[in-house]
Amino acid sequence: MVSVGVDAGSRAIKIVLFDVDSREVVASGIVAQGVQCNDLANDLLRDLIERSGLGTGDIHRVIATGYARNMIDFADTTVTEITCHARGVYHVAPDAATVVEIGGQDSKLLRLGRNGGVRDFSMNDRCAAGTGRFLEVVADRLGVVLDQLGPMAARSQTPASISSTCIVFAETEIIGLLSTGISPDDIVAGVQNSIATRIAAMAGRKVAAPVVFTGGVAIVPGMDRALESALGRPVSIAPNPQFTGALGAAIIAAA
Amino acid sequence: MTIQPRRITLDEWDIRYIELLGQGMVEPSYGGPLRRHVVDGGDTRLLKLRYDDSAAALRLWNFLLTEDDRLREARERGKLLIGTMKDLGTVPVMAYSGPNVVAFYPDGAWWIPCMMEMSAGLLSIASSLGLDETFCPVRAMIGAFVTQAHFPIPDLLTCSVGATCDDFSAIAQRLEGLGYPILWWEIPSRRKPDAGEEAITLPGGFTAPASQVAFVRSELERVRTAIADLSGSPLDDGALKEGIHAANRIRRILRELRTLAFTAPICPIPALEMLIAEMLAIHFCSDRDEAAAVLGQLLDVVRTRVEAGVGVLPAEAVRVFWVNPVADLRVMNLLEDCGGRVCGTEYLFSHALDDIPEDLPPMEALARMALADPMVGSAADRARRVVNDARGFGAEAVLISRIPGASHCAYEGAVIGEAIKSELGLPVVEIEVPPIADALMPTLTTRIEALMEIRRN
């Protein structure tokens, strides 16, 4: 039997199949979010089930999480992404005390208690300037793909200072920086620092180690270092960070 | 047989109203179906709320939503109107002690953008006058003065100033600049008495130096004189004592209502109706005696439900202490939709729920009450009261609602949240609620649901 975790996020839908007995991931998949969210998730699940040699009768339970969780009509129940990310991180990094999750359109900082339970959390979701969307806008403006941002930031000698608190104004600011001769590498590094600084501000003065970084933005090279610098703590990236929420949902569904 | 109470929609209220009429419901003059406020008043937010289904709740809503009519009728009958701005619960007590005077709370206009879903344009008017969204939504009040469509222009305007919100001071100053004279009275920042200073314990338990109480008393004396001058008859101590006694009667009803509602094993009344009821403590909704009657009827309903062990929410609802009022009333429903119930509140005027001392000279008692305002002391003081009340009501979680632009909310949430975590070990979530929070509903839902999950896990 497998349990299913569906993370219907703002930018992508992620699904994890989790073996209820062996407590291991059987399969995982991702698809871009769209208008027909439920259909997209259903198609992805069907595909994963087929590729795993399973049938629908092998599904123990389905839990949906993420912003569009209530649109997943085949889910048995829903759980917030806050609880799911915590549970997913606990599975892969049981010592984690703090989880930073940066997704497409929000960012979160979770403080974990015993057994992966959430003790406390902070969220930034009013403004895209602390989220993955900022990186997408910057990549688009600089004419590069997301994968290039890490190497670009790594080449930076003097990260630019991004002062705008709004992603729209920041875009204008970037154009201004380019026109004054600031290199794209320094701009990318500056944007990464800007996002990390926002997370640090959200964290307040108390960030307990170990810090685990998860969510889609964790796969962008260089963001972990920017976070380390801003938080003043070592930061490790969760394995398959995009799937942590779906994994947590699947684990909860397995209970 | 006790009928199971429910939270119902406006559509369901249409049916329920006919049902209640059939059962012999007798309504006051301002009664009628709730929907008429949508049709006649443009209060379209009502279409999206869920309500308690009792006749007492209907009367509460009708009382709230007919305040403008009541004020205009009062003026027609020759009553004098006093707008008591900023002050939360002191000057209205004085004003209602005078003959032929009706006091109201122009700041209450802050809910109009929510109730009318922005259609009145009050916030746009405020913005055009330089009070944009960086100010508290109470800036809607200045729009209401400009349109004169939501309350009549009062004969006297008073406003407390000093240790009150920076936003409100700025808004009121702008109002005065528009040609509305204001009687300003100063409330100092409450401080602990220094060594050797005479200390006075205020209602609610805070302390202040006697010199501060004396100062506030002298400021309130100016207000007393202004009310007397307006009404043409002196506002003597005897009248003030009667006014204090009447106000305390309402406060006692509210305290009993809160205790029953917040401590009952099954929540007997929704958070939304409790919020409206608590607000009556500070301004009586322009009719002190009727406010007492409205609250008395609500208390009867709640008492009956508690005795019968019935309520509007499941017994397992998470007990949440709520800090600060919300600009969008729909968010009170949301807490319950997410599996919570309100079991304690601090809506910025907890002092207005305490008894005004009746064994003191009335002006001394009122000065002490004014200084007990949680907003004129330190955030730590306020946090202490929240901690004590949350402990007393057996809260399992705390929700702090920020008011966008409100200067006092900018830092108090963190102080209160830290105090709750360190002293009670309860989970805390902070949310920000604009006048129309529809676009934020997914994120607000996630935060509140997460708070419930933390508690349950």
Side-chain angles (χ1 to χ4, degrees), chain A residues 69 80 83 118 120 125-126, chain B residues 421 432 443 447 449 453:
Chain A
R69 61 187 177 276
T80 67
T83 298
V118 180
D120 193 10
D125 45 18
R126 285 185 66 206
Chain B
K421 285 181 223 168
E432 184 168 277
T443 172
R447 287 169 196 240
E449 282 186 353
E453 289 169 1

Side-chain angles (χ1 to χ4, degrees), chain A residues 89 93 96-102 108-109 196-197 199-200 203 207-215 217-239 241:
Chain A
V89 167
T98 302
V99 177
V100 173
E101 192 267 331
I102 309 181
K108 308 176 191 74
L109 187 132
T197 303
I199 300 293
V207 179
V211 180
V212 174
F213 185 17
T214 185
V217 172
I219 59 175
V220 177
M223 270 308 304
D224 55 336
R225 286 193 299 279
L227 265 180
E228 282 183 347
S229 172
L231 294 173
R233 294 278 188 282
V235 170
S236 61
I237 299 173

Side-chain angles (χ1 to χ4, degrees), chain B residues 34 76 130 168 193 287 303 306 334 385 389-390:
Chain B
L34 204 47
E76 279 176 20
F168 198 86
D287 187 334
R303 194 185 287 122
V306 172
L334 182 64
R385 174 140 195 178
D389 287 355

Side-chain angles (χ1 to χ4, degrees), chain A residues 67 69 78-83 87 118-121 123-126 206, chain B residues 418 421 427-429 432 440 442-443 445-447 449-451 453-454 457:
Chain A
Y67 267 106
R69 61 187 177 276
T78 61
V79 176
T80 67
E81 53 270 37
I82 291 159
T83 298
R87 196 60 62 88
V118 180
R119 203 159 45 82
D120 193 10
F121 68 93
M123 282 177 77
N124 163 33
D125 45 18
R126 285 185 66 206
K206 298 176 198 162
Chain B
E418 283 305 315
K421 285 181 223 168
V428 178
V429 71
E432 184 168 277
L440 295 178
T443 172
T445 302
T446 293
R447 287 169 196 240
E449 282 186 353
L451 186 68
E453 289 169 1
I454 291 172
N457 296 334

Side-chain angles (χ1 to χ4, degrees), chain A residues 154-176:
Chain A
R155 286 195 298 270
S156 168
Q157 297 297 313
T158 317
S161 173
I162 307 292
S163 57
S164 293
T165 55
C166 162
I167 195 166
V168 177
F169 292 142
E171 202 174 354
T172 311
E173 188 178 357
I174 288 165
I175 295 167

Side-chain angles (χ1 to χ4, degrees), chain B residues 9 21 29 77 90 202 219 290 292 298 324:
Chain B
T9 63
L21 284 180
S29 58
R77 283 187 281 116
T90 301
L202 306 172
E219 287 295 285
E290 185 62 18
L298 198 64
N324 296 335

Side-chain angles (χ1 to χ4, degrees), chain B residues 142-299:
Chain B
I142 206 162
F145 271 93
V146 169
T147 63
Q148 302 190 14
H150 302 284
F151 50 73
I153 301 303
D155 301 294
L156 172 66
L157 267 175
T158 69
C159 186
S160 56
V161 69
T164 54
C165 313
D166 295 342
D167 295 285
F168 198 86
S169 293
I171 293 164
Q173 285 173 56
R174 188 77 177 92
L175 180 65
E176 189 169 48
L178 293 175
Y180 297 95
I182 294 171
L183 172 70
W184 301 94
W185 63 277
E186 187 174 341
I187 184 94
S189 177
R190 184 181 60 240
R191 63 175 174 84
K192 286 189 172 58
D194 291 333
E197 267 191 309
E198 185 188 347
I200 287 183
T201 301
L202 306 172
F206 298 133
T207 56
S211 58
Q212 280 200 322
V213 175
F215 173 76
V216 174
R217 197 172 60 232
S218 70
E219 287 295 285
L220 290 175
E221 284 290 357
R222 293 197 301 112
V223 176
R224 166 149 79 166
T225 302
I227 295 171
D229 289 348
L230 179 72
S231 64
S233 62
L235 187 55
D236 59 31
D237 279 3
L240 283 171
K241 280 191 170 188
E242 282 178 25
I244 288 171
H245 186 71
N248 280 342
R249 182 176 156 233
I250 290 176
R251 293 174 183 215
R252 283 186 203 113
I253 295 171
L254 270 169
R255 279 208 303 281
E256 191 179 348
L257 183 61
R258 279 164 53 91
T259 302
L260 278 172
F262 296 157
T263 62
I266 298 174
C267 179
I269 186 88
L272 183 52
E273 277 74 13
M274 279 302 292
L275 168 65
I276 305 300
E278 289 196 39
M279 287 286 166
L280 298 190
I282 53 175
H283 56 82
F284 314 132
C285 209
S286 303
D287 187 334
R288 189 184 58 193
D289 294 339
E290 185 62 18
V294 168
L295 291 173
Q297 188 182 352
L298 198 64
L299 176 61

